Amino acid sequence: MTTTAPTRHLGLDLGATNLKWAVVEHVGHAWGTLADGQVPTRLVPDPAAVPASVTSQLAEMAATVIAEWGPVQSVGIGVPGLYDPATGCTRFLPNVPGPWAGHPVAGPVAAAAGVPAFLVNDARAFGLAELRLGAGRGASSMVGLTLGTGVGGVIAVGGRVHQGHDGTGGELGHQTIDPDGPWCGCGNRGCVEAYARADQIAAACGTATPEEAVRAAQAGDARARAGLADVGRYLGIGIANMVTVITPDRIVLGGGVAAAGELLFGPIRAEIARRVTTTSIDEVTIVAAELGTLAGAIGAAVHGAERAAETAGSAGAGSAGAAP
């Protein structure tokens, strides 16, 4: 009998507050997390110097973790925004200070790690982690949303996360649900995110944060419950669009507000039932994400492993992440 030797892969998750890391082990079709951690993001006072500071910190983290948990075969790096998969450079990170356009990230990390490094959007990393190790396990098709400062999205079809030609596939938070709605940070009007991002959830519930909104709603506060119901309705409209187009097996919701459970999921289900008429929704399950705040790092590690496997043997593959 031929057995496949396990391989290890490092995932890094670049956040405005913390840098997270995870080492995963892969053997056959099985994935497992061996170790993880986080440190505060090194945001220097001068915004112009932040990209270099953070990239240096990512490279240092990669070398340190690999020294303890390596060897690894690849590194994946989750970034909270847009990137160029051909060069491994960032394009736009809306919530991290600094001029990120054209800034190299994958290359310096690959040089420090000594293995190929690949960028991935942090929401797609979240979805990939849940698909392989979390609440999406076993699903052939999945739609995921992660609710936080913005609304990240992911689509998986045939057991694979769809990233599009430039890594932006799955931006569910930026689908228009009201053409005359409020402005979104992306420059469009009426996006799902314009109704369901963290500050809007808090405002709708009359609280300072979404986490407070969840606690107040669970304690019976009428305004908080009504606010979560409104947010659930808007999310439900966006999810209903995805159910109509993709007919996924599973909907996975992540982020702190997902802890509201049926106070949020109930209105989402009701809106899906109201709007989806072309397919049965009986086989579509809505579940909370399982992997918590480290999902991005875990998913980045999985992405790096899968991209390295896809590009193995290609000339020049890996140092900058040649594809999404």
Side-chain angles (χ1 to χ4, degrees):
M1 178 186 299
T2 300
T3 58
T4 302
T7 58
R8 293 185 178 187
H9 307 270
L10 172 63
L12 306 175
D13 183 19
L14 192 173
T17 303
N18 293 302
L19 300 185
K20 302 181 182 72
W21 62 269
V23 176
V24 303
E25 189 169 73
H26 181 217
V27 56
H29 296 291
W31 298 86
T33 303
L34 295 179
D36 55 62
Q38 66 180 40
V39 298
T41 305
R42 196 159 65 202
L43 299 180
V44 294
D46 180 6
V50 167
S53 174
V54 171
T55 302
S56 176
Q57 187 181 15
L58 286 168
E60 293 166 9
M61 176 182 284
T64 299
V65 174
I66 290 170
E68 181 174 0
W69 291 97
V72 302
Q73 279 65 52
S74 65
V75 180
I77 308 159
V79 295
L82 306 181
Y83 62 95
D84 183 342
T87 64
C89 295
T90 49
R91 290 168 50 200
F92 176 57
L93 306 187
N95 297 311
V96 184
W100 285 95
H103 181 77
V105 175
V109 173
V115 294
F118 304 88
L119 300 187
V120 63
N121 173 269
D122 58 356
R124 256 67 81 198
F126 149 81
L128 186 54
E130 293 293 340
L131 184 67
R132 297 285 184 259
L133 291 87
R137 289 189 309 276
S140 173
S141 55
M142 182 191 86
V143 166
L145 290 99
T146 177
L147 310 176
T149 303
V151 176
V154 61
I155 296 169
V157 177
R160 292 182 59 85
V161 169
H162 174 71
Q163 304 221 43
H165 66 274
D166 60 355
T168 62
E171 286 289 345
L172 308 185
H174 295 295
Q175 59 176 305
T176 302
I177 58 174
D178 181 356
D180 300 313
W183 289 103
C184 179
C186 72
N188 185 33
R189 295 184 74 118
C191 292
V192 172
E193 182 171 302
Y195 292 97
R197 64 179 186 260
D199 62 339
Q200 293 300 308
I201 294 173
C205 296
T207 59
T209 68
E211 291 75 20
E212 289 182 19
V214 171
R215 291 193 292 270
Q218 290 172 335
D221 183 88
R223 180 175 177 183
R225 286 179 171 244
L228 285 180
D230 285 342
V231 170
R233 175 173 179 260
Y234 291 123
L235 287 169
I237 294 171
I239 293 172
N241 292 337
M242 294 300 99
V243 172
T244 299
V245 173
I246 299 168
T247 60
D249 305 329
R250 205 163 304 165
I251 310 293
V252 178
L253 295 181
V257 75
E262 283 304 305
L263 291 171
L264 182 67
F265 289 15
I268 291 174
R269 289 194 182 94
E271 200 63 31
I272 293 172
R274 184 177 299 116
R275 294 181 179 276
V276 175
T277 61
T278 57
T279 185
S280 169
I281 62 173
D282 293 340
E283 304 303 317
V284 181
T285 58
I286 303 177
V287 298
E290 294 180 358
L291 299 177
T293 60
L294 285 163
I298 294 169
V302 175
H303 174 76
E306 294 184 348
R307 287 295 300 119
E310 290 169 3
T311 58
S314 298
S319 62

